[in-house]
Amino acid sequence: MTNLPISDDLIAEANAREAAALEDEYGALGRKLERAGIDIDTIKGKVARFSVAVPSWGAGRGGTRFAKFPIAGEPTNIHEKLEDCSVINQLSQMTPRVSPHFPWDKVSDFGALREEAASLGLGFDAVNSNTFQDQKNQAHSYSTGSLSSTEAPTREQAVEHNIECIEIGKQLGSRDLTVWVGDGTNFPGQQDLARSFDRYLDAASQIYAALPDDWRMLLEHKMFEPAFYSTVIQDWGSSILAAQELGPKAKCLVDLGHHAPNVNIEQIVARLHRFGKLGGFHFNDSKYGDDDLDSGSINPHQLFLVFNELIEAELNPRDGFNPSYMIDQSHNVTDPIESMMSSAEAIGQCYAKALLVDREALHLAQEANDTMMAFQALRRAYTIDVAPILAKARVEAGGAMDVLGVYRESRYRDRKAQEREAVGLGAGIV
Amino acid sequence: MTNLPISDDLIAEANAREAAALEDEYGALGRKLERAGIDIDTIKGKVARFSVAVPSWGAGRGGTRFAKFPIAGEPTNIHEKLEDCSVINQLSQMTPRVSPHFPWDKVSDFGALREEAASLGLGFDAVNSNTFQDQKNQAHSYSTGSLSSTEAPTREQAVEHNIECIEIGKQLGSRDLTVWVGDGTNFPGQQDLARSFDRYLDAASQIYAALPDDWRMLLEHKMFEPAFYSTVIQDWGSSILAAQELGPKAKCLVDLGHHAPNVNIEQIVARLHRFGKLGGFHFNDSKYGDDDLDSGSINPHQLFLVFNELIEAELNPRDGFNPSYMIDQSHNVTDPIESMMSSAEAIGQCYAKALLVDREALHLAQEANDTMMAFQALRRAYTIDVAPILAKARVEAGGAMDVLGVYRESRYRDRKAQEREAVGLGAGIV
Amino acid sequence: MTNLPISDDLIAEANAREAAALEDEYGALGRKLERAGIDIDTIKGKVARFSVAVPSWGAGRGGTRFAKFPIAGEPTNIHEKLEDCSVINQLSQMTPRVSPHFPWDKVSDFGALREEAASLGLGFDAVNSNTFQDQKNQAHSYSTGSLSSTEAPTREQAVEHNIECIEIGKQLGSRDLTVWVGDGTNFPGQQDLARSFDRYLDAASQIYAALPDDWRMLLEHKMFEPAFYSTVIQDWGSSILAAQELGPKAKCLVDLGHHAPNVNIEQIVARLHRFGKLGGFHFNDSKYGDDDLDSGSINPHQLFLVFNELIEAELNPRDGFNPSYMIDQSHNVTDPIESMMSSAEAIGQCYAKALLVDREALHLAQEANDTMMAFQALRRAYTIDVAPILAKARVEAGGAMDVLGVYRESRYRDRKAQEREAVGLGAGIV
Amino acid sequence: MTNLPISDDLIAEANAREAAALEDEYGALGRKLERAGIDIDTIKGKVARFSVAVPSWGAGRGGTRFAKFPIAGEPTNIHEKLEDCSVINQLSQMTPRVSPHFPWDKVSDFGALREEAASLGLGFDAVNSNTFQDQKNQAHSYSTGSLSSTEAPTREQAVEHNIECIEIGKQLGSRDLTVWVGDGTNFPGQQDLARSFDRYLDAASQIYAALPDDWRMLLEHKMFEPAFYSTVIQDWGSSILAAQELGPKAKCLVDLGHHAPNVNIEQIVARLHRFGKLGGFHFNDSKYGDDDLDSGSINPHQLFLVFNELIEAELNPRDGFNPSYMIDQSHNVTDPIESMMSSAEAIGQCYAKALLVDREALHLAQEANDTMMAFQALRRAYTIDVAPILAKARVEAGGAMDVLGVYRESRYRDRKAQEREAVGLGAGIV
């Protein structure tokens, strides 16, 4: 781990400047929590063990169908992306795993890539297949869909690509395959809604059959985009039914931006867990559709309520509780490193707040139908400023108290802008 | 059947006035369909056999939490409601069954009620239980919910009421119990989302155990209202999982207004059928929420697309296909008899149009990924004016060609306004 | 002011028990803010001067069209409602004004009512007219609408009622008339969308003409409910155009639950202010429609962003800045006193957080297109736990540090349950 | 006009095959309408005079941020696009104008381009500026916005580009400039919502000043995408206020897919017309967001209701009525020529149906608050199959009765696939 991109001295000096302030805040919060019967160091320990993966593609600037505005120093290959992810983890100490996407991140030697990542303090998380866009020299186009296509050779190609992803994942140390397909329709009648689903299930079961016993297949539902009339796995209902058909290694993955307006996502979390199918999360935020905005930037209270369900699930594991967490955002207007560090902080804060809920008071109030006090049990935890807990945990692990400040001070992006090849204009892939 | 409320002579005279026009239109449409290889009389025969139930409570004027504006001649008991439903069926010849709601429609002698209905040309459809409001002298309040309440006596009371509904239904000749509960929360934290669902399942299984073998239990999901943060059966996902837990007699009922904005309801129909759980429909239309507007008044194309899935389901019955159809609307600004006759017409038109889809062309285009032609197969059927088919079928069955015209000519409501007790002001129940 | 409902001793004793904790928290927060260059006492002073009105009708339990579940000790007349509002203000010290609704709050002697309120520490805020429901013995029904009805006598009746409300308001010391109408349609074609608006404008201008020079007429838009296809003032666009037509005393009132899904309400605030038409707010929260949930219970971040715009508006007053603030909620599952105290706290917290935004940093980042730092300027303020500031201000003004705790300790509602007449079952008016 | 791409003989032969069927259907519909007091030839004449523009960019295959799947024979420059648009107009006889987009459609000699279009039977409609993406060698990036950017040179560049578009438009015979900007934010706080709007107004007024007296500036609002937290002209409210500030030549343009979920768009049409600001339409359809699906493919009833308002507006011109109509769709899964011909048909059908509404009956029912009969006046017109009217008008003008059939028979796209350069993969711009 001698390869970390940011100078440890820089981090240490910056932390030293803020040390007294942190002690004051942490101490005051500790006293406040103690009055509520909570030991702040216990919470800090849990926060220190919490982590969330970052996606390799998230290290690049995102865009829309209208435009993508690149920034100088953007990464253009998996090696540069790993380096950027290493910055995020070094400073935030919360993102030790990278989730790769294929064929985007393909290299000739995956064993070497795994070592490269390790030298940057990183491991690999779920592997992601890509059957929503065509690659040069690809035999069959995904214009008719992939796993649900009417074309048998296309479905086979998609199945084989997923199996290849599993093989790569084994070399990288992954144990999850995330399957999201862009399959769907833009017109009523374009495809038979029932037969499409049958074809999807048939193809998915072939992938499932190739899955090692200790792996999971994470099915990701999405209401719309790129298809705008129907999608084959449109919601958690279709997702869980598919997962049930496939078998116990198939689980459901929740992306916070993939739902209909107004939907109660925290309840979906509770339902998936109730039926043993909660596989993981793609964290982001949204105001309109799959906006892929920074986690907690629009509705942090919803993120807190999701974590509240996760804590409940952990306490009531029923068929087990082991969700995979990843940030999945499109950084259209910010430096991706800054966005992912800020997002990890927002996610970690919601986790910490959910830990602070007085569950005994909550459950007693629920049992007594004391609605106001049940709500207040959540509200009291939500209003607490947990920043000192996260900062303390981070600093103790070698990270930066002020992640954005140290990152800017490091001039990392400026240096990369000198070194790296420029990215062209275009519409955005993410 | 000598008790029908509208004079047969009045109907016959009105029909005679329009007979030539109908012949011209029916003949022209017949030639058009013949050119497309379709026999109009075959379609007419299917339309003649199509029916949809009406809800007893729909015969009264509906309202909102803000106000209800009664009309003169409104029914105030089940006997008057049956009489009004008889008018609807006599003129439209499409609504031969009434769905009762308890305790609203409770009488001392249900055998006599069944005979009374029969004399009006009516039978009984699904029985509906009511555990979303308190009745005078009720032992336990549903303010904490019903089947999912934390209070065991409340749950027991709700279970017993549902079992009582089954008993009544047996006397009335029903074979479906529709269960919709208002259970849910208005605050994050008010209830535990997982434990609420467990309690619901436990109580529902007790009702299920009391269900005769040839009955079905129809679970109706709803996203919100009267609960505004979460509902216990919030969507088709929770509904189908509950139905799976309960057993084969439990099916899912789709109310068109109970979904999140933008949701593809026709796909939900396809999914429920795929998994053998499509139990029935509550037809209405909506623009914003559970507006309970007249069927097809806002988005008739969506209604057509739903029927397109139903025809596909009928052709591919998998685990069988026998959905229960009911109109479920709140008639806040119209005469309920007029609205239900107009709605039955709109529903029947969508059924007829779905029958006219060239399914061979549709399926071939789907298989060939000829998106435009697949869409056109639906569009061609949708644009056809099928009114002559419905009119012909209606007239042949003794109904009125111009249902609204004959109803107004009959001055039925004016007569009832003389006979019936006036309804007071208030906020609206439905 | 010797009539206040809660014992001052009870408050003082409870506050004393928590005094040391409050000092510790307030001190720590003061040091934190000081490090950011902010004087906590200045903020506390602004918070102490902040207030929000409560609606008289909010003191009663609300309901839906399905049911209303009353609670023991609910108020049934304006005198009891004032007493309950007095509790809210005594403990929270943030709600010194009550907004009355007519004819619900009609009394024979409004001068006496004003004195009664004053003796409870209360004044009167905006008067609200009611033309969305019929009253007994009313000459013309509002079933066809009110200000936009096709019926001239109905429009005249609605105008006269509004003018009567102004006259009452003069006696009560009000200076705002809030006009919300339920006018709209449930069917396409039911009314001409243009001519309805013309009639509304014509009738509204007659009310405007009767408005004293120092009064304002607050137009409240709403997307839907009780009308479910169109409403005459459906959004802020129709509202501001109507206000422009009427004249400078006409302003727009924003109810947070009256918008389409996903709409950016804080931007509407900015637009209304930009054009000199921001008149006021009805605070509540919602997940689906006009759910009228407790302020900040669903999306407190949105409430903060609204206050962020209000602070910006105050700093850039353009045509002046003097919005009227009111809580407007339907308390279906809680004790209304508790909900309004909790909501006042949530609103006050958002105001305090908006005050803590480093506006210089925000504006510099905006000018420099430093998106991340602009966002962080808001986020830093939002994450601060401002509860100690509000508590300190409240205690210094004679209120309770723990408003809910002292209220429960007072057993106020239990006492009222002994004294007051019981409320019957029914569907809910709010 | 000897350059038309499709053989007139081919068209004539195909029409001849269907002539008898058309006569039968047109005759039958004529008798039906005659019974309702409507002369079918009068309606046919109005339909024959109806037209809608097509966008040059719509001739190419569209895509999403995820992928674009090109088709063989796609146009890659304005000359090929004009040729494709000529096919659409030749067969449908309803799309005689093309709306160009700059700099995409830039050529060295616009006079020659105008002649080239004329030889293909085409003229030019509104010119569209593009300040939402960066072009190679552009001095200033639009990454900070365009007309509302904080950067003065960027705003100037955007203003100059718009003025250049006007100059080009003069040469092409256009008289409308359509201004849509992608300006907005992805984060709360990213920009000041009020100052952004001020800058937009300031820059827009400079464009307005350069507008010839007989031109219009059409402001297009959009709720979201590419910006996902706020957009500078987010809805019709901001649009009409901006248009009022700019002056009488500024009007509002409504794109059917640019609104919040559930919004009543036909009412917005009525409001814009009421205030003299209805400038035009971009026709498409959507289920979720700005899906840019084919017009009328999802909700044709809404399209009919929009045309119903347009007919009302035409009958009550207040400040005049002269809206500009254009198809604006993203053809991701179909041949764009086929989609635009099918869409023109769908639009024309809605126009024809709106003409068939019995307005006297409608208005009488509205005045009498006879809701059911008012609705039936619309419903009767909507259910009529008007295809024979459009077909007859088309055939008489030299177009094809079966536009899609003749197009496919012509093998136009196959021929172009031989001639034209292939388009590469990528994410989609539209």
Side-chain angles (χ1 to χ4, degrees), chain B residues 61 63-67 69 132-136 141-143 180 186-188 190 222-230 261 287-294 297-298 330 332-334 339 425-430, chain C residues 61 63-67 69 132-136 141-143 180 186-188 190 222-230 261 287-294 297-298 330 332-334 339 425-430:
Chain B
R61 185 89 165 219
T64 70
R65 62 172 166 146
F66 294 96
F69 298 104
F132 53 82
Q133 60 183 197
D134 289 348
Q135 309 298 328
K136 268 183 193 161
S141 171
Y142 292 125
S143 60
W180 173 70
N186 273 13
F187 284 83
Q190 179 177 345
K222 185 171 183 183
M223 193 197 202
F224 71 99
E225 194 210 24
F228 294 113
Y229 168 66
S230 74
K287 189 159 179 60
Y288 305 101
D290 186 28
D291 309 333
D292 279 335
L293 301 181
D294 279 21
S297 64
I298 301 300
S330 184
N332 300 356
V333 298
T334 52
S339 266
L425 297 173
I429 296 285
V430 162
Chain C
R61 186 91 165 216
T64 71
R65 60 172 166 146
F66 293 95
F69 298 102
F132 53 82
Q133 60 181 196
D134 290 347
Q135 308 299 328
K136 269 183 194 163
S141 170
Y142 292 125
S143 61
W180 173 70
N186 272 13
F187 284 84
Q190 179 178 344
K222 184 172 183 182
M223 193 199 201
F224 72 99
E225 197 212 17
F228 294 112
Y229 168 67
S230 73
K287 188 156 181 64
Y288 306 101
D290 186 29
D291 310 331
D292 280 335
L293 301 180
D294 279 21
S297 63
I298 302 298
S330 184
N332 301 356
V333 298
T334 52
S339 266
L425 296 172
I429 294 287
V430 163

Side-chain angles (χ1 to χ4, degrees), chain D residues 357-387:
Chain D
V357 171
D358 182 342
R359 300 223 165 258
E360 192 184 348
L362 175 66
H363 297 161
L364 283 173
Q366 288 172 342
E367 287 300 314
N369 290 294
D370 187 345
T371 295
M372 180 51 67
M373 287 306 162
F375 170 64
Q376 294 295 331
L378 295 188
R379 183 44 49 99
R380 273 197 311 277
Y382 181 68
T383 54
I384 295 173
D385 183 354
V386 296

Side-chain angles (χ1 to χ4, degrees), chain A residues 226-238:
Chain A
F228 294 112
Y229 168 66
S230 74
T231 63
V232 70
I233 303 292
Q234 88 278 19
D235 62 9
W236 78 276
S238 285

Side-chain angles (χ1 to χ4, degrees), chain C residues 150 189 191-193 195 198 201 229 231-232 235-236 238 264 266-267 271 274 318 363 366 369 374, chain D residues 150 189 191 193 195 198 201 229 231-232 235-236 238 264 266-267 271 274 312 318 363 366 369 374:
Chain C
T150 56
Q191 279 303 327
D192 184 277
L193 299 172
R195 282 184 278 269
D198 288 343
L201 280 180
Y229 168 67
T231 62
V232 70
D235 62 10
W236 78 276
S238 284
N264 187 322
E266 53 270 28
Q267 186 169 23
R271 287 289 177 278
R274 165 68 177 71
R318 300 185 187 237
H363 296 161
Q366 288 171 342
N369 290 292
Chain D
T150 55
Q191 281 303 328
L193 299 172
R195 284 184 277 268
D198 288 343
L201 280 181
Y229 168 66
T231 64
V232 70
D235 62 9
W236 78 276
S238 284
N264 187 322
E266 52 270 28
Q267 185 170 24
R271 286 290 176 278
R274 165 68 176 72
E312 288 285 343
R318 300 183 186 236
H363 297 161
Q366 288 172 342
N369 290 294

